[in-house]
Amino acid sequence: MTLGLRVEQRAKASTEGAVKGFIKKAALTKHREHAHSDGSAHDSARKTAMPSSSGSVRPGQDANASSMPWLVSWLLLGLLGFIWGTNFLFMKMAVAVVPPLEVAWLRTIFGALPIAAFALVRRSLARTDWRFAHHFAAMALLANVGPYVFFVIGTSHLPSGVAGVISGAIPFVTAAIVAIALPAERLTQVRALGLGIGFAGVLLVAPLGRGAAMAGGGSPLIGVAAMLAGSVSYALALVYARRFMVSLGLGPVKLATYQMLFAVVLLAPFAAPGHWSELAVEPEALLALVFGLGLAGTGIAFVIYYQLIQLLGALKAASVYYIPPVVALVVGWAFAGETITLVQAIGATLVMAGIFFAIRDRAG
């Protein structure tokens, strides 16, 4: 092939390459313009279809969406208050068949099941947690064994509604114990006011007057003392948690799981189980103990309370303490034939006022 032919072929190839490059570039430019036009149209259509950030378009939908978490939170709070309020009737039903220590032990067993399942689903447990076993045992003793045993004993000596109202003393009893045990948590005027009002309410509700002995042979004095002892145990658990547990950074799910498991072990030697035959012929008591007091009243209640703290925060979630005393009184009257006197109603109101001041002071 001559040199001229080579030059001609190269020139032809160069020309063809330039033409192809120009066509390719033009096609690419047209494609980009088309894509930009489609994207602008899509954005315009999307902006037209969706509400603006100011909510001027379809505001009802946005309002409904934003109100749903609030509605769910307060429904859960009401449900939790109802569950806790019915616990005392379930205790009364169970302790009529099973001794108090066994009631407390079975409550921890069935209450631990939902909590442990919740912890496993969340993968909250680890082998390294066992280095805190001594803390778990102490918390189980103060926050589970003590209150569960004392509350069952107290309920066995009192009407379930009265026991439920006296248990409402937990917040202001806690305020008093914390003020004594933790110098940084001084007893403010608001806390002192709540403490005085709350205890006045307890005295009005408690049947401590002449002729106050229960029809079943119970002692009201023992009942009230046991209920207050359970409240003190809860308060001591809070003091222990603040001194030794907060710095460990353990989550509430982890702590509650180990507390319940350790409580099962601690109560086992004293429970003297062997009353399943009695429970078998008392299906109402069995249901009250296994489901009402254990699965729902302890296990599911904790899961709900944990979710409430996540949704509302600890301070708003604490408003649940207003509900159980009222529920306990009404449920005892409606299902157990217990009476509600005017003095007891006034006392219950004072107990709730004491709770209000305890929570209000904490918020401040």
Side-chain angles (χ1 to χ4, degrees):
M1 183 177 295
T2 62
L3 180 60
L5 182 58
R6 291 179 181 175
V7 172
E8 183 180 357
Q9 288 177 342
R10 289 180 180 177
K12 184 178 179 180
S14 177
T15 302
E16 290 177 352
V19 171
K20 290 180 179 179
F22 177 78
I23 294 173
K24 185 175 181 180
K25 183 177 181 181
L28 182 60
T29 302
K30 185 176 181 180
H31 176 72
R32 288 177 177 174
E33 291 176 353
H34 180 70
H36 177 73
S37 176
D38 287 348
S40 299
H42 178 70
D43 291 342
S44 178
R46 184 176 60 180
K47 290 177 181 179
T48 303
M50 294 183 64
S52 64
S53 59
S54 63
S56 59
V57 180
R58 299 175 66 182
Q61 182 179 5
D62 286 349
N64 291 336
S66 62
S67 65
M68 284 303 293
W70 180 90
L71 179 61
V72 171
S73 299
W74 290 102
L75 285 176
L76 287 176
L77 188 140
L79 176 61
L80 179 60
F82 178 80
I83 291 174
W84 278 350
T86 57
N87 273 353
F88 299 94
L89 179 60
F90 293 141
M91 288 183 205
K92 193 75 173 178
M93 296 170 63
V95 80
V97 180
V98 178
L101 284 173
E102 189 173 349
V103 171
W105 184 57
L106 292 174
R107 176 183 183 178
T108 58
I109 291 175
F110 292 104
L113 295 178
I115 299 176
F118 187 61
L120 291 174
V121 169
R122 293 176 57 87
R123 297 183 178 179
S124 301
L125 309 181
R127 292 182 180 179
T128 55
D129 297 337
W130 287 98
R131 66 185 187 275
F132 306 122
H134 57 295
H135 289 308
F136 296 144
M139 286 297 295
L141 183 64
L142 294 174
N144 299 94
V145 174
Y148 292 177
V149 171
F150 283 127
F151 282 172
V152 175
I153 293 174
T155 305
S156 69
H157 288 274
L158 297 169
S160 64
V162 171
V165 172
I166 296 176
S167 76
I170 292 173
F172 46 85
V173 168
T174 299
I177 298 296
V178 168
I180 296 172
L182 300 176
E185 298 285 342
R186 61 187 179 87
L187 188 63
T188 63
Q189 292 181 350
V190 175
R191 288 185 183 179
L193 178 63
L195 190 64
I197 293 175
F199 272 117
V202 168
L203 291 176
L204 289 178
V205 171
L208 299 178
R210 181 177 297 179
M214 298 292 100
S219 169
L221 183 59
I222 293 177
V224 173
M227 297 303 300
L228 292 177
S231 300
V232 170
S233 187
Y234 269 131
L236 292 176
L238 177 61
V239 171
Y240 188 93
R242 287 193 180 182
R243 282 191 172 180
F244 303 107
M245 305 299 293
V246 173
S247 61
L248 300 180
L250 301 174
V253 177
K254 183 194 297 287
L255 180 57
T257 303
Y258 286 117
Q259 280 180 208
M260 293 298 295
L261 295 177
F262 272 78
V264 172
V265 175
L266 291 173
L267 280 170
F270 308 98
H275 294 83
W276 286 104
S277 58
E278 289 89 339
L279 287 171
V281 297
E282 296 286 348
E284 292 182 355
L286 178 62
L287 185 63
L289 178 55
V290 174
F291 179 78
L293 192 56
L295 291 172
T298 303
I300 296 175
F302 167 79
V303 176
I304 294 175
Y305 188 59
Y306 176 78
Q307 294 299 325
L308 278 175
I309 292 175
Q310 302 301 308
L311 292 170
L312 296 177
L315 292 177
K316 288 184 179 180
S319 59
V320 71
Y321 291 119
Y322 293 109
I323 305 174
V326 178
V327 172
L329 274 180
V330 174
V331 169
W333 167 77
F335 295 98
E338 299 173 359
T339 59
I340 303 176
T341 66
L342 178 60
V343 173
Q344 287 177 333
I346 295 173
T349 304
L350 292 178
V351 169
M352 288 186 287
I355 297 171
F356 168 77
F357 285 110
I359 295 174
R360 181 174 176 269
D361 183 59
R362 193 184 308 169

